[in-house]
Amino acid sequence: MSMSNALFTYTLRRADDLLILSQRLGEWCGHGPVLEEDIALTNRTLDHLGEARNLLTYAGQVEGKGRSEDDLAYLRMEREFTNVKLVETPNGNYAHTLVRSFLFDAYHLPLMQALLESKDEQLAAIAGKAVKEATYHLRHSSEWLIRFGDGTEESHQRAQAALDAIWTYTGELFETDAVDAELVKAGIAPDIASIQEAWSKTVDAVLAEATLKRPEDGFMATGGRNGLHTEQMGFLLAEMQHVTRAYPGATW
Amino acid sequence: MTEPINLEEGFQAKIDAELKIEPKDWMPDAYRKTLVRQISQHAHSEVVGMLPEGNWITRAPSLRRKAILLAKVQDEAGHGLYLYSAVETLGTSREKTIDDLLSGKAKYSSIFNYPTLTWADIGAIGWLVDGAAIMNQVMLCRTSYGPYARAMVRICKEESFHQRQGYEIMSVLSKGTEEQQAMAQDALDRWWWPSLMMFGPTDANSPHSAQSMKWKIKRQSNDELRQTFIDRTVQQAEVIGLTIPDPELKWNEGTKQYDWGTIDWTEFYDVVAGNGPCNKERSAARNKAHDEGEWVRNAAMAYAAKKAKQKAA
């Protein structure tokens, strides 16, 4: 694999996680449990989308085939998307949405912190902007997890059920392959082991305060990084892409 | 002591002198009631207005448009918050105000009972609906009740950005493919008359207007605002090559404004009465969000109470 191929794939994987998560979170806009949360969740959606756009644009440049952020977002099919399955899982109830975000935020923040040191200047610059936002996101989702876990019996049960259901999707965050190996060697990507350690520490600390139980690591879902997604992914893309695809070549 | 002999006269004198009424000032009950009704309707309009636009967030045809739309709908949630706070300064809790929306007792702008059927509707809402709302809101920056006027100053800044982005969507579509142009014209055709209805009944049929003008809650009449909006918007439509769906529309050299056709007031009163295309859907969506959010709000309150108790112990 050439270095530019590896860098393209690595950047695209980061972009797809954020794009698909923002697509899911955008479904909440106008339907949140309280107006303040509608605003907070939309803020998060905007941050993820903004970071995804920076990463997609950069991936297009690295690839060198003239693909724009919109080409990459709207004109790829299911099998070409490289996000983890975690972010494409349907929103479910508010506990499910925030547990999903918490498990992602606890991974995203240390990843962006590590990328500040990347030898790739563009990735380091994108991380520079993302760290501030990701810090806020993790605080927001952690606080809600604690409120749910230590709030009412109902909220505790809902949060625990969400955690138990989603846990199987967390393994994928820490998978590595030849793409990662090459970029770690070049000082562009961080070693995933250090990210996993930071993630695990955050998860333990927040779950302890929330009086929630960390699920056992059982079977872990896999495939997203290589374009093997859940059945929901096709519907998500159909909704996201249909207008753009219905009018080929149009500008908006 | 130089207290005015008559509180009501003192109050009116203050308004006539262009002084703002503040929450702790004495005010007639009817003034308070009118404001609570008007500001809460305005707040509800912001919140219900999130629904027709939110409908297109997941389908926006470019990532840039998606980001702009998200930011716009988020602004509306923010406007809802300031306005609910302004209602609270008049002694009505946010909970009570929202309960009135959910039960169907309180109204919101009827325009949000129309459906967003194509992407061009997002352009038409920004251009026409926000454009019409701004006419009213610019006037309200000078309204006599201080907290309302101040909220409006902030809201107006964001609304003018909303109007521009809507017009820009329409402008891009009208320069686009034939299908895009048709989409833009169709949206204008559907949104034009409902936008004119946003200014409310004609002055002759607007029973509360005279008192609101005397109290300087309103400062221009429905018909005046509507005419200004038409004069401005017709020119904007010409610039981007779209046709206003009114065969009677004609420049009047004598009055220096446009003459125009007749609003279908039957439709207006039907939609106000609950029989618009989406009244039931809007109400159902707000109620669903509220009901499904109940356990979330309860958890937050229970947790806050627990923490407060621990702190006190």
Side-chain angles (χ1 to χ4, degrees):
Chain A
M1 186 183 316
S2 78
M3 179 58 92
S4 77
N5 271 344
L7 182 57
F8 170 69
T9 304
Y10 185 83
T11 307
L12 197 60
R13 285 172 175 174
R14 312 281 86 74
D16 285 348
D17 282 352
L18 291 153
L19 177 67
I20 300 306
L21 186 54
S22 74
Q23 178 69 13
R24 276 291 181 228
L25 291 172
E27 295 170 15
W28 272 105
C29 190
H31 306 275
V34 61
L35 212 40
E36 283 84 348
E37 273 307 288
D38 230 310
I39 294 172
L41 217 56
T42 308
N43 212 46
R44 176 189 279 278
T45 312
L46 270 166
D47 288 345
H48 291 337
L49 179 60
E51 193 184 327
R53 291 178 65 192
N54 288 334
L55 288 163
L56 286 171
T57 301
Y58 183 49
Q61 287 163 3
V62 170
E63 187 193 33
K65 291 181 184 163
R67 286 204 278 182
S68 68
E69 57 172 15
D70 285 336
D71 293 336
L72 288 168
Y74 289 96
L75 302 178
R76 280 183 297 152
M77 298 297 289
E78 286 92 319
R79 294 281 283 109
E80 299 168 275
F81 274 82
T82 60
N83 54 283
V84 288
K85 289 176 173 173
L86 172 71
V87 296
E88 74 201 44
T89 59
N91 287 335
N93 61 33
Y94 208 60
H96 187 106
T97 292
L98 281 178
V99 167
R100 182 185 64 195
S101 272
F102 168 71
L103 294 170
F104 182 80
D105 297 341
Y107 149 86
H108 184 225
L109 177 60
L111 177 65
M112 288 299 128
Q113 283 167 333
L115 278 173
L116 290 173
E117 310 297 327
S118 173
K119 287 206 170 126
D120 185 282
E121 277 178 27
Q122 196 59 41
L123 283 182
I126 292 170
K129 185 170 180 291
V131 162
K132 230 174 106 183
E133 297 168 352
T135 305
Y136 164 76
H137 299 156
L138 179 58
R139 200 177 71 204
H140 173 255
S141 57
S142 301
E143 283 172 0
W144 272 106
L145 235 69
I146 294 165
R147 279 189 203 110
F148 288 157
D150 199 16
T152 64
E153 206 181 306
E154 181 182 7
S155 67
H156 180 93
Q157 278 171 10
R158 285 179 185 269
Q160 187 64 55
L163 203 54
D164 293 344
I166 299 175
W167 195 256
T168 184
Y169 294 109
T170 57
E172 232 182 338
L173 293 168
F174 309 106
E175 286 177 357
T176 56
D177 60 12
V179 169
D180 300 271
E182 179 150 357
L183 295 185
V184 170
K185 210 169 73 193
I188 291 174
D191 180 3
I192 201 72
S194 64
I195 310 298
Q196 186 163 15
E197 201 180 310
W199 177 84
S200 201
K201 246 170 97 177
T202 305
V203 168
D204 283 339
V206 172
L207 293 190
E209 198 177 340
T211 69
L212 293 167
K213 200 171 148 281
R214 179 173 171 145
E216 296 293 325
D217 285 346
F219 167 77
M220 287 291 175
T222 184
R225 292 291 182 223
N226 295 311
L228 292 164
H229 293 281
T230 62
E231 288 181 342
Q232 282 89 13
M233 185 67 173
F235 292 97
L236 180 149
L237 293 180
E239 185 171 345
M240 181 169 92
Q241 298 179 336
H242 91 97
V243 178
T244 316
R245 284 181 179 273
Y247 303 93
T251 50
W252 301 94
Chain B
M1 291 282 275
T2 54
E3 289 249 334
I5 299 158
N6 182 325
L7 285 168
E8 189 126 13
E9 275 172 25
F11 170 81
Q12 188 63 47
K14 218 166 160 185
I15 285 179
D16 292 342
E18 294 291 333
L19 294 171
K20 294 285 179 235
I21 305 301
E22 296 298 337
K24 289 191 172 134
D25 295 347
W26 183 89
M27 61 186 84
D29 282 347
Y31 177 84
R32 186 185 299 273
K33 246 173 118 173
T34 301
L35 278 171
V36 167
R37 194 188 62 228
Q38 184 174 330
I39 304 173
S40 59
Q41 278 182 11
H42 192 164
H44 299 327
S45 300
E46 297 282 356
V47 172
V48 176
M50 294 168 74
L51 299 171
E53 292 185 279
N55 185 35
W56 279 88
I57 285 170
T58 56
R59 295 178 290 167
S62 76
L63 297 183
R64 175 174 167 265
R65 290 289 177 207
K66 194 192 285 285
I68 293 172
L69 184 56
L70 275 162
K72 178 180 192 281
V73 179
Q74 188 189 32
D75 283 349
E76 279 150 15
H79 298 172
L81 270 186
Y82 315 150
L83 290 165
Y84 285 128
S85 302
V87 178
E88 288 194 313
T89 67
L90 292 158
T92 304
S93 73
R94 181 166 141 195
E95 218 176 7
K96 161 87 174 68
T97 308
I98 291 177
D99 281 348
D100 286 347
L101 171 71
L102 297 173
S103 71
K105 190 178 156 210
K107 300 273 182 239
Y108 52 86
S109 179
S110 278
I111 194 78
F112 300 118
N113 291 318
Y114 289 85
T116 49
L117 302 177
T118 72
W119 171 250
D121 290 20
I122 298 306
I125 287 187
W127 176 32
L128 303 172
V129 174
D130 291 322
I134 289 170
M135 307 292 313
N136 210 15
Q137 287 164 351
V138 165
M139 167 188 81
L140 290 171
C141 292
R142 295 184 298 121
T143 195
S144 57
Y145 186 58
Y148 193 23
R150 289 189 288 274
M152 277 303 136
V153 171
R154 206 165 150 188
I155 289 173
C156 276
K157 284 186 195 149
E158 293 177 346
E159 288 292 347
S160 73
F161 150 74
H162 297 171
Q163 202 259 350
R164 277 202 304 276
Q165 67 83 34
Y167 186 61
E168 199 219 335
I169 289 175
M170 294 302 263
S171 167
V172 169
L173 291 176
S174 64
K175 283 184 220 134
T177 64
E178 247 174 65
E179 285 164 308
Q180 285 177 303
Q181 287 169 23
M183 194 192 282
Q185 184 62 52
D186 171 60
L188 172 57
D189 291 348
R190 285 182 289 110
W191 290 91
W192 175 252
W193 291 104
S195 298
L196 298 188
M197 295 176 200
M198 284 177 69
F199 295 95
T202 58
D203 295 348
N205 290 313
S206 184
H208 302 298
S209 280
Q211 182 62 67
S212 281
M213 298 278 264
K214 188 173 175 231
W215 279 334
K216 295 189 182 172
I217 294 174
K218 265 172 95 107
R219 313 205 52 149
Q220 283 169 287
S221 79
N222 295 353
D223 287 335
E224 278 167 17
L225 288 168
R226 187 162 22 233
Q227 185 67 46
T228 313
F229 173 74
I230 291 170
D231 291 340
R232 188 174 297 182
T233 310
V234 169
Q235 291 171 13
Q236 291 170 350
E238 276 169 15
V239 171
I240 56 175
L242 295 177
T243 309
I244 303 280
D246 179 357
E248 291 173 56
L249 190 78
K250 209 174 95 200
W251 178 251
N252 183 327
E253 197 50 46
T255 58
K256 297 284 178 204
Q257 56 191 26
Y258 283 92
D259 293 336
W260 50 283
T262 314
I263 289 175
D264 178 357
W265 291 110
T266 312
E267 176 180 326
F268 173 80
Y269 289 109
D270 264 354
V271 181
V272 171
N275 300 318
C278 300
N279 297 55
K280 289 186 178 63
E281 287 85 344
R282 301 297 182 236
S283 175
R286 286 314 317 158
N287 274 288
K288 181 169 184 276
H290 188 81
D291 294 347
E292 289 180 358
E294 193 178 7
W295 71 267
V296 177
R297 297 188 299 274
N298 288 344
M301 282 188 294
Y303 179 74
K306 241 183 233 182
K307 286 287 127 178
K309 207 169 153 191
Q310 279 170 14
K311 216 171 160 189

